[in-house]
Amino acid sequence: MSDQTDEKALSLFLAAMPFARIRDQLGMRSVQSVEAAITRALKKAQKGKSPDSARQVEIERLDSLYRQLYPLALQGDLKAVDQCLKIGEQRLRLIDAPVKAQSGLLEAYEHTIETLRDQGALDASDEAVIQSGRMIASQIDYATTHGAGQEVTKALYLMPHLMNVLDELGATPEARRRIKEAAGDAKETPTDPLEAFRLKQFTAERTA
């Protein structure tokens, strides 16, 4: 699989395209191939990068731009005033990023996964689904931490996809309700064929 295909898969995923459609559009073998391609693209994009160092570099760049624009803003240049305000907002978002990351969606997601593992509700076959949810939660966290306006809105469009993942893992109220109902039905249905037949006959007579 080429790096270009991996990057296209990641781009389509970030645009909220379902895995099956990405598979068909890029001519990939399976949904698992799509997930693997997205994972490779993410790892390549982050290779050699330190989030803290990158954040400090961006803050310094913003400070430099602010110093150039601030004198113009003081002279009444409305465009410079607007740019200074935007730079200030972006700077504050970068400064607050570590704090937000500690209480973000990904942290809550990981706690949910850990709880499900402790309950024995997950096994190795669930890893692809788990990783899908992790990627979605990370993308939402990144946008809400570093983005603004439409960037945040677009990221929040990924929320239904995350809810679908949680539902598949049995980690939503509705999923738990279905599991309880299924467990109740299984408990009430006799495993012995003769007993099941008698119960069926008895039920038919009661409702006749």
Side-chain angles (χ1 to χ4, degrees):
M1 195 69 64
S2 68
D3 291 344
Q4 187 176 9
T5 301
D6 290 353
E7 291 172 3
K8 287 181 179 179
L10 176 59
S11 178
L12 293 174
F13 172 75
L14 296 180
M17 181 178 289
F19 284 168
R21 285 186 58 193
I22 296 175
R23 175 199 60 199
D24 296 340
Q25 183 164 326
L26 299 181
M28 303 177 78
R29 292 183 179 179
S30 63
V31 169
Q32 288 73 22
S33 298
V34 174
E35 293 172 353
I38 292 171
T39 300
R40 287 194 299 269
L42 285 172
K43 287 182 178 179
K44 182 180 178 182
Q46 295 300 320
K47 187 176 181 180
K49 293 182 179 179
S50 166
D52 289 336
S53 298
R55 185 167 54 86
Q56 290 298 329
V57 169
E58 290 303 319
I59 290 174
E60 290 299 326
R61 287 173 176 169
L62 290 173
D63 286 345
S64 178
L65 290 172
Y66 191 90
R67 285 192 293 269
Q68 296 178 49
L69 291 168
Y70 189 65
L72 298 175
L74 290 178
Q75 294 174 16
D77 187 325
L78 295 181
K79 186 176 181 180
V81 170
D82 182 63
Q83 290 175 325
C84 283
L85 291 173
K86 290 180 178 178
I87 289 173
E89 291 173 358
Q90 180 64 18
R91 189 177 186 280
L92 288 175
R93 282 196 294 271
L94 288 173
I95 292 173
D96 290 342
V99 176
K100 289 183 177 179
Q102 292 176 3
S103 58
L105 187 59
L106 180 60
E107 183 183 26
Y109 177 82
E110 296 293 0
H111 177 71
T112 297
I113 296 301
E114 182 180 355
T115 301
L116 291 173
R117 290 192 194 281
D118 291 342
Q119 294 173 349
L122 302 175
D123 57 38
S125 63
D126 297 317
E127 286 304 317
V129 178
I130 293 170
Q131 180 62 17
S132 299
R134 185 175 288 121
M135 292 166 65
I136 295 171
S138 297
Q139 181 64 21
I140 294 173
D141 273 353
Y142 183 87
T144 54
T145 299
H146 301 288
Q150 290 186 350
E151 295 174 355
V152 175
T153 301
K154 288 180 179 179
L156 293 178
Y157 286 153
L158 295 173
M159 193 67 75
H161 296 280
L162 181 59
M163 294 304 297
N164 287 338
V165 170
L166 292 172
D167 191 68
E168 286 292 326
L169 296 173
T172 65
E174 176 62 20
R176 289 193 294 273
R177 183 189 64 78
R178 293 197 304 268
I179 292 171
K180 287 181 179 179
E181 287 183 354
D185 291 342
K187 185 176 181 181
E188 293 172 3
T189 303
T191 56
D192 181 72
L194 180 58
E195 184 64 24
F197 175 77
R198 288 173 176 170
L199 177 61
K200 183 177 180 181
Q201 289 293 101
F202 176 76
T203 303
E205 292 173 359
R206 290 287 300 274
T207 56

